[in-house]
Amino acid sequence: MTVSRVAIIGLGLLGGSIGLAITARGLGIATTGWDRDAAVRARAAERGLVGTVCDTAEAAVAEADLVILCVPVGAMGDAARAIAPGLKPDAIISDVGSSKEAVATALAEALPGACIIPAHPVAGTEQSGPDAGFATLFAGRWCIITPPEGCDPAQLEALSQFWAALGSKVELMDAAHHDLVLAVTSHIPHLIAYTIVGTASDLEDVTQSEVIKYSAGGFRDFTRIAASDPVMWRDVFLSNKGAVLEMLGRFTEDLTAMQRAIRSADGDALFDLFTRTRAIRRQVIEQGQDDERPDFGREHGG
């Protein structure tokens, strides 16, 4: 199976970047798109995020070989029902959501009998909306595909080849395992960032605004993460709550151990942990998942 026409439902950061990447890489794939927000559709047309911005979801998916739902995970079911009347019988239905078990269930309930192959490109920024997308977002990043049992091999291969053509490194994974892994690597870090920034906000009166005025690197980087789309992250935590709560319990135990080490002045325990975590940073860089230049690769004026 080859993908010659892609429909993108949701024209924000990820949806827009998919459309731009298809064009920039000269893949010869026709693109259509739709977003429930008329202003987003208008801006998407101005930027040329897809070849044709349609007025309805049904029109956008007509004749599409691959339909990618780029909406918050809590909206997947509604989006699937909106496209149902226009789908080709053999179309691949996929998505870009950060949790996979809940998405797979929602799509299967909304589109019984359809070929549903969930996916998660592990790429993004704290920006959102139709102006946020860019063509190189997926270059060198992982795209995790979580095929259901009995998935058609030809359709799975077509989806894998599509993401590889956008520059992604493709990995196949069980949906439940994906959700556990992402709870550790993405969801809990975001939850911590939202929490610490919220704590700082609560302390603003106490500190006379000095928390924000004197933001050092650590807090500053937390604010970048905490600036992410609140609708998307609300839905992620609710849809992946099992894995998030499991990992949050483990994190709470580790945080309590740190509290004990500080209270008892156990410098060896602190040094050992910091040494181990510093090594993790080196592994992240060696895997090509971040920049090894100082200060996260930020440019500094001379």
mmCIF file of all heavy atoms in Angstrom, residues 208-227:
data_model
loop_
_atom_site.group_PDB
_atom_site.id
_atom_site.type_symbol
_atom_site.label_atom_id
_atom_site.label_comp_id
_atom_site.label_asym_id
_atom_site.label_seq_id
_atom_site.Cartn_x
_atom_site.Cartn_y
_atom_site.Cartn_z
ATOM 1 N N GLN A 208 7.424 39.374 46.924
ATOM 2 C CA GLN A 208 7.365 40.696 46.282
ATOM 3 C C GLN A 208 7.868 40.641 44.835
ATOM 4 O O GLN A 208 8.667 41.461 44.405
ATOM 5 C CB GLN A 208 8.164 41.713 47.098
ATOM 6 C CG GLN A 208 7.623 41.895 48.514
ATOM 7 C CD GLN A 208 8.448 42.869 49.334
ATOM 8 O OE1 GLN A 208 9.612 43.117 49.037
ATOM 9 N NE2 GLN A 208 7.843 43.420 50.371
ATOM 10 N N SER A 209 7.392 39.620 44.115
ATOM 11 C CA SER A 209 7.677 39.431 42.680
ATOM 12 C C SER A 209 9.125 39.048 42.374
ATOM 13 O O SER A 209 9.523 39.014 41.217
ATOM 14 C CB SER A 209 7.314 40.692 41.866
ATOM 15 O OG SER A 209 5.934 40.962 41.975
ATOM 16 N N GLU A 210 9.913 38.736 43.385
ATOM 17 C CA GLU A 210 11.308 38.417 43.124
ATOM 18 C C GLU A 210 11.493 37.029 42.519
ATOM 19 O O GLU A 210 12.526 36.761 41.910
ATOM 20 C CB GLU A 210 12.121 38.556 44.421
ATOM 21 C CG GLU A 210 12.272 40.009 44.843
ATOM 22 C CD GLU A 210 12.898 40.160 46.222
ATOM 23 O OE1 GLU A 210 12.794 39.221 47.027
ATOM 24 O OE2 GLU A 210 13.478 41.228 46.472
ATOM 25 N N VAL A 211 10.525 36.140 42.664
ATOM 26 C CA VAL A 211 10.640 34.825 42.051
ATOM 27 C C VAL A 211 10.767 34.955 40.538
ATOM 28 O O VAL A 211 11.637 34.364 39.904
ATOM 29 C CB VAL A 211 9.428 33.939 42.401
ATOM 30 C CG1 VAL A 211 9.385 32.701 41.518
ATOM 31 C CG2 VAL A 211 9.478 33.527 43.865
ATOM 32 N N ILE A 212 9.905 35.755 39.940
ATOM 33 C CA ILE A 212 9.952 35.930 38.487
ATOM 34 C C ILE A 212 11.098 36.852 38.076
ATOM 35 O O ILE A 212 11.818 36.587 37.113
ATOM 36 C CB ILE A 212 8.600 36.471 37.978
ATOM 37 C CG1 ILE A 212 7.524 35.389 38.152
ATOM 38 C CG2 ILE A 212 8.691 36.925 36.525
ATOM 39 C CD1 ILE A 212 6.139 35.818 37.755
ATOM 40 N N LYS A 213 11.320 37.902 38.832
ATOM 41 C CA LYS A 213 12.368 38.871 38.488
ATOM 42 C C LYS A 213 13.736 38.227 38.445
ATOM 43 O O LYS A 213 14.552 38.526 37.569
ATOM 44 C CB LYS A 213 12.361 40.018 39.503
ATOM 45 C CG LYS A 213 13.403 41.103 39.216
ATOM 46 C CD LYS A 213 13.276 42.228 40.238
ATOM 47 C CE LYS A 213 14.303 43.332 39.967
ATOM 48 N NZ LYS A 213 14.184 44.428 40.970
ATOM 49 N N TYR A 214 14.012 37.340 39.385
ATOM 50 C CA TYR A 214 15.330 36.728 39.476
ATOM 51 C C TYR A 214 15.322 35.259 39.040
ATOM 52 O O TYR A 214 16.094 34.457 39.552
ATOM 53 C CB TYR A 214 15.866 36.843 40.905
ATOM 54 C CG TYR A 214 16.044 38.283 41.348
ATOM 55 C CD1 TYR A 214 15.297 38.795 42.397
ATOM 56 C CD2 TYR A 214 16.939 39.120 40.698
ATOM 57 C CE1 TYR A 214 15.442 40.117 42.804
ATOM 58 C CE2 TYR A 214 17.094 40.447 41.082
ATOM 59 C CZ TYR A 214 16.342 40.935 42.134
ATOM 60 O OH TYR A 214 16.491 42.242 42.519
ATOM 61 N N SER A 215 14.483 34.931 38.107
ATOM 62 C CA SER A 215 14.395 33.543 37.650
ATOM 63 C C SER A 215 15.745 33.066 37.131
ATOM 64 O O SER A 215 16.310 33.633 36.188
ATOM 65 C CB SER A 215 13.365 33.420 36.526
ATOM 66 O OG SER A 215 12.074 33.619 37.029
ATOM 67 N N ALA A 216 16.259 32.012 37.750
ATOM 68 C CA ALA A 216 17.497 31.395 37.291
ATOM 69 C C ALA A 216 17.161 30.306 36.277
ATOM 70 O O ALA A 216 15.989 30.037 35.983
ATOM 71 C CB ALA A 216 18.250 30.820 38.488
ATOM 72 N N GLY A 217 18.206 29.643 35.765
ATOM 73 C CA GLY A 217 18.008 28.694 34.677
ATOM 74 C C GLY A 217 16.999 27.619 34.957
ATOM 75 O O GLY A 217 16.177 27.284 34.110
ATOM 76 N N GLY A 218 17.047 27.016 36.154
ATOM 77 C CA GLY A 218 16.148 25.922 36.462
ATOM 78 C C GLY A 218 14.697 26.332 36.397
ATOM 79 O O GLY A 218 13.881 25.702 35.710
ATOM 80 N N PHE A 219 14.335 27.394 37.081
ATOM 81 C CA PHE A 219 12.943 27.847 37.090
ATOM 82 C C PHE A 219 12.531 28.352 35.709
ATOM 83 O O PHE A 219 11.430 28.082 35.247
ATOM 84 C CB PHE A 219 12.750 28.948 38.135
ATOM 85 C CG PHE A 219 11.330 29.442 38.215
ATOM 86 C CD1 PHE A 219 10.352 28.688 38.836
ATOM 87 C CD2 PHE A 219 10.966 30.659 37.644
ATOM 88 C CE1 PHE A 219 9.037 29.129 38.897
ATOM 89 C CE2 PHE A 219 9.659 31.119 37.705
ATOM 90 C CZ PHE A 219 8.694 30.346 38.335
ATOM 91 N N ARG A 220 13.451 29.038 35.047
ATOM 92 C CA ARG A 220 13.153 29.552 33.709
ATOM 93 C C ARG A 220 12.780 28.416 32.761
ATOM 94 O O ARG A 220 11.830 28.514 31.980
ATOM 95 C CB ARG A 220 14.368 30.310 33.170
ATOM 96 C CG ARG A 220 14.188 30.910 31.771
ATOM 97 C CD ARG A 220 15.496 31.523 31.303
ATOM 98 N NE ARG A 220 16.534 30.510 31.217
ATOM 99 C CZ ARG A 220 17.826 30.742 31.448
ATOM 100 N NH1 ARG A 220 18.230 31.944 31.820
ATOM 101 N NH2 ARG A 220 18.707 29.775 31.318
ATOM 102 N N ASP A 221 13.509 27.306 32.816
ATOM 103 C CA ASP A 221 13.210 26.183 31.935
ATOM 104 C C ASP A 221 11.917 25.474 32.334
ATOM 105 O O ASP A 221 11.205 24.948 31.481
ATOM 106 C CB ASP A 221 14.386 25.200 31.914
ATOM 107 C CG ASP A 221 15.596 25.781 31.182
ATOM 108 O OD1 ASP A 221 15.397 26.446 30.153
ATOM 109 O OD2 ASP A 221 16.727 25.593 31.651
ATOM 110 N N PHE A 222 11.599 25.476 33.624
ATOM 111 C CA PHE A 222 10.300 24.956 34.051
ATOM 112 C C PHE A 222 9.170 25.779 33.433
ATOM 113 O O PHE A 222 8.145 25.238 33.020
ATOM 114 C CB PHE A 222 10.178 25.000 35.570
ATOM 115 C CG PHE A 222 10.701 23.769 36.261
ATOM 116 C CD1 PHE A 222 11.530 23.880 37.357
ATOM 117 C CD2 PHE A 222 10.341 22.500 35.840
ATOM 118 C CE1 PHE A 222 12.002 22.747 38.016
ATOM 119 C CE2 PHE A 222 10.803 21.361 36.482
ATOM 120 C CZ PHE A 222 11.646 21.487 37.578
ATOM 121 N N THR A 223 9.343 27.106 33.374
ATOM 122 C CA THR A 223 8.278 27.941 32.822
ATOM 123 C C THR A 223 8.078 27.678 31.341
ATOM 124 O O THR A 223 6.962 27.803 30.834
ATOM 125 C CB THR A 223 8.549 29.445 33.044
ATOM 126 O OG1 THR A 223 9.728 29.841 32.330
ATOM 127 C CG2 THR A 223 8.714 29.771 34.519
ATOM 128 N N ARG A 224 9.140 27.306 30.629
ATOM 129 C CA ARG A 224 8.990 26.965 29.212
ATOM 130 C C ARG A 224 8.100 25.737 29.064
ATOM 131 O O ARG A 224 7.171 25.718 28.256
ATOM 132 C CB ARG A 224 10.359 26.707 28.572
ATOM 133 C CG ARG A 224 10.276 26.362 27.080
ATOM 134 C CD ARG A 224 11.624 25.906 26.542
ATOM 135 N NE ARG A 224 12.056 24.676 27.167
ATOM 136 C CZ ARG A 224 11.606 23.467 26.837
ATOM 137 N NH1 ARG A 224 10.675 23.335 25.899
ATOM 138 N NH2 ARG A 224 12.066 22.389 27.436
ATOM 139 N N ILE A 225 8.373 24.706 29.853
ATOM 140 C CA ILE A 225 7.555 23.491 29.786
ATOM 141 C C ILE A 225 6.123 23.789 30.211
ATOM 142 O O ILE A 225 5.159 23.331 29.593
ATOM 143 C CB ILE A 225 8.160 22.393 30.677
ATOM 144 C CG1 ILE A 225 9.553 21.993 30.162
ATOM 145 C CG2 ILE A 225 7.249 21.167 30.724
ATOM 146 C CD1 ILE A 225 10.291 21.046 31.095
ATOM 147 N N ALA A 226 5.977 24.593 31.272
ATOM 148 C CA ALA A 226 4.647 24.889 31.815
ATOM 149 C C ALA A 226 3.835 25.812 30.914
ATOM 150 O O ALA A 226 2.653 26.048 31.174
ATOM 151 C CB ALA A 226 4.779 25.504 33.211
ATOM 152 N N ALA A 227 4.452 26.320 29.845
ATOM 153 C CA ALA A 227 3.723 27.162 28.889
ATOM 154 C C ALA A 227 3.014 26.341 27.818
ATOM 155 O O ALA A 227 2.367 26.892 26.939
ATOM 156 C CB ALA A 227 4.685 28.147 28.218
#
